[in-house]
Amino acid sequence: MTTLSSPNSSTVSPSRGTISPAAFGTYESPMPGDSHSGHSEPAISDNDETELHFVSWNQDYSCFAAGTSRGFRVYNCDPFKETFRRDLKSGGFGIVEMLFRCNILALVGAKANTQYPPNKVIIWDDHQSRCIGEFSFRSEVRAVKLRRDCIVVVLEHKIYVYNFMDLKLLHQIETVANPRGLSCLSHQLNTSVLACPGLRRGQIRVEHFGLNMTKLIKAHDSQIACLTLTIDGLLLATASTRGTLIRLFNTIDGTQLQEVRRGVDRADICSIALSPNVQWLVVSSDKGTIHVYSLRVRVVGEDASADAAVRTPTLLCQNSSASLDALISPSTGANPGSSLSFMKGVLPKYFSSEWSFAQFHLPECTQYIAAFGSQNTIITAGTDGSFHRCSFDPVNGGEMVQQEYVRFLKTESRPR
């Protein structure tokens, strides 16, 4: 194994010289002959008090990964099923990141993992059931994000971007203290965008790598709690640690396009997701309510179909606030506002807020990550080992209807 020195005072150890594109297979079904795949005779049963450390979606929300005290598992969302699991003798994983549906994953060990400590990132080839590369750092890894062409490793004060093929360092970015490991990536091949906290409280740094451009956005007065990008990286949604407002920004010029209100009391925002057609936004928090908002961003080729192909916001030519009117258009449904909103120039900002269009209520004190399924559905994965699917009315909104509930892991544990 060749060990390379890196300017970040970390160690990069490729098990092979490069990661060949041929190594990227696709999981559409459990691998034949693998006793750890699907539901066929798992080596360790759920009755052995497996703890859940971590859950995360893949890039198109078709799957999610779970890091457990014994290894990791991957679940398909529609239809819901366990696709495969790996129970390793060395211990569990605190971070598991998928790359769409391929066999390459990024793993970070939990604190009790005897082989892979929490300051090391493992690039795992699940077809070969072995590590094909690793990164070691002096401090704990807070998050890992994947694109087909790069690996992003987030530490508390620094972010490193590596080339996926040869694991060479491409960029390093200083951030404000970032214990949540906040960062997000675009996923279209023709746009390479990274968003992360800046060096000041409430600031977002957006790196347009393809344009060789950096944009700093003053998003909130409080610290950033959650952020996400559209798949092309042209829209950014953010929330702060106050958890009352969610804001939508143009990442090219930093202009705020829309602001919606979750509530008036402080909340911990667990996740934000934008629908592929950029028509809806979903937010989850520790209050147990899933909120869906109607977006007013005009998109190219916009039509009445909610399931149209992915469409791109018309942002590239917008360079001033005077041109933003072309970006705003009524959506299928409209977010409700206060009956006193006509007095927004006189009354506090609260009375002119846009509130959620549709809602779904889940138990409090559990973290749920929410995303968009097909045909106006919301899917959630919770740290209590639960999966929910609910539908919302795209015209009238209101309370969503539960369509599916699965307990995918029987656990009382909570992730860090």
Side-chain angles (χ1 to χ4, degrees):
M1 178 184 294
T2 305
T3 299
L4 305 177
S5 298
S6 179
N8 59 357
S9 299
S10 68
T11 302
V12 180
S13 303
S15 297
R16 302 182 298 185
T18 60
I19 300 176
S20 166
F24 291 79
T26 302
Y27 278 118
E28 296 298 343
S29 60
M31 293 181 295
D34 192 335
S35 63
H36 290 242
S37 299
H39 292 288
S40 58
E41 300 177 0
I44 302 174
S45 71
D46 286 343
N47 295 328
D48 293 328
E49 298 182 357
T50 301
E51 296 181 3
L52 182 60
H53 293 323
F54 179 86
V55 287
S56 69
W57 303 110
N58 71 342
Q59 289 80 0
D60 61 7
Y61 308 137
S62 63
C63 298
F64 70 92
T68 76
S69 57
R70 299 184 184 278
F72 64 91
R73 307 178 187 188
V74 171
Y75 299 88
N76 187 73
C77 293
D78 191 10
F80 183 87
K81 64 178 179 178
E82 181 181 301
T83 305
F84 66 95
R85 67 170 70 181
R86 296 291 175 263
D87 292 316
L88 307 180
K89 294 180 180 179
S90 61
F93 293 98
I95 297 174
V96 183
E97 289 291 336
M98 301 180 66
L99 180 62
F100 290 92
R101 300 182 67 92
C102 84
N103 54 294
I104 305 295
L105 299 98
L107 307 172
V108 177
K111 287 183 171 61
N113 193 316
T114 58
Q115 185 173 358
Y116 303 122
N119 66 322
K120 182 180 288 188
V121 177
I122 304 302
I123 307 302
W124 179 266
D125 184 339
D126 204 70
H127 276 336
Q128 302 184 56
S129 293
R130 72 181 186 95
C131 168
I132 57 174
E134 62 184 54
F135 305 87
S136 295
F137 300 89
R138 292 180 176 176
S139 60
E140 182 177 344
V141 175
R142 300 297 184 176
V144 183
K145 302 296 179 183
L146 301 178
R147 268 177 57 103
R148 289 187 173 92
D149 56 359
C150 72
I151 301 166
V152 174
V153 180
V154 185
L155 307 184
E156 184 154 354
H157 292 276
K158 191 169 283 191
I159 293 177
Y160 299 103
V161 182
Y162 297 91
N163 183 12
F164 216 135
M165 291 299 107
D166 57 15
L167 305 185
K168 289 184 179 179
L169 181 67
L170 300 176
H171 309 279
Q172 47 186 318
I173 300 168
E174 300 280 347
T175 70
V176 71
N178 185 17
R180 297 173 183 243
L182 300 177
S183 68
C184 54
L185 288 166
S186 64
H187 294 291
Q188 280 188 353
L189 289 177
N190 61 343
T191 58
S192 182
V193 184
L194 166 70
C196 64
L199 287 172
R200 297 181 179 181
R201 184 179 65 183
Q203 183 185 71
I204 303 290
R205 174 171 178 161
V206 181
E207 291 289 343
H208 290 268
F209 293 122
L211 301 176
N212 195 25
M213 180 183 79
T214 301
K215 186 65 186 178
L216 298 176
I217 299 173
K218 178 62 174 176
H220 300 272
D221 294 328
S222 304
Q223 294 282 9
I224 303 300
C226 200
L227 71 165
T228 193
L229 288 166
T230 47
I231 61 172
D232 57 16
L234 300 181
L235 286 177
L236 168 73
T238 67
S240 76
T241 52
R242 288 186 59 84
T244 54
L245 298 172
I246 296 90
R247 290 172 175 155
L248 193 70
F249 296 92
N250 173 344
T251 64
I252 298 293
D253 65 11
T255 307
Q256 181 177 315
L257 300 177
Q258 191 173 352
E259 176 185 275
V260 296
R261 180 173 289 276
R262 184 211 57 82
V264 294
D265 53 338
R266 185 181 291 268
D268 186 10
I269 301 297
C270 303
S271 70
I272 304 175
L274 293 156
S275 66
N277 60 14
V278 201
Q279 188 175 0
W280 308 101
L281 179 147
V282 64
V283 175
S284 65
S285 75
D286 63 347
K287 298 298 183 183
T289 304
I290 307 298
H291 294 274
V292 175
Y293 300 87
S294 174
L295 297 182
R296 294 182 286 110
V297 178
R298 187 181 303 280
V299 291
V300 173
E302 185 170 6
D303 57 31
S305 172
D307 295 315
V310 174
R311 296 163 287 182
T312 303
T314 57
L315 295 176
L316 288 173
C317 299
Q318 310 298 331
N319 294 310
S320 69
S321 59
S323 63
L324 289 177
D325 288 344
L327 292 174
I328 307 300
S329 65
S331 187
T332 305
N335 299 318
S338 168
S339 61
L340 300 176
S341 60
F342 68 94
M343 298 182 67
K344 62 183 179 181
V346 179
L347 295 173
K349 192 175 183 180
Y350 165 86
F351 291 100
S352 59
S353 295
E354 292 184 54
W355 295 80
S356 60
F357 175 77
Q359 309 82 31
F360 186 66
H361 297 276
L362 292 165
E364 291 189 36
C365 302
T366 295
Q367 294 181 3
Y368 300 94
I369 55 171
F372 287 91
S374 60
Q375 299 178 342
N376 301 317
T377 61
I378 301 297
I379 51 178
T380 69
T383 58
D384 60 351
S386 67
F387 174 86
H388 291 83
R389 188 192 316 278
C390 55
S391 61
F392 65 94
D393 184 330
V395 176
N396 300 312
E399 190 69 20
M400 291 186 267
V401 178
Q402 179 170 296
Q403 294 185 332
E404 186 175 11
Y405 165 76
V406 179
R407 192 70 182 267
F408 65 86
L409 191 71
K410 297 179 176 63
T411 177
E412 298 300 325
S413 64
R414 299 285 184 269
R416 57 180 174 83

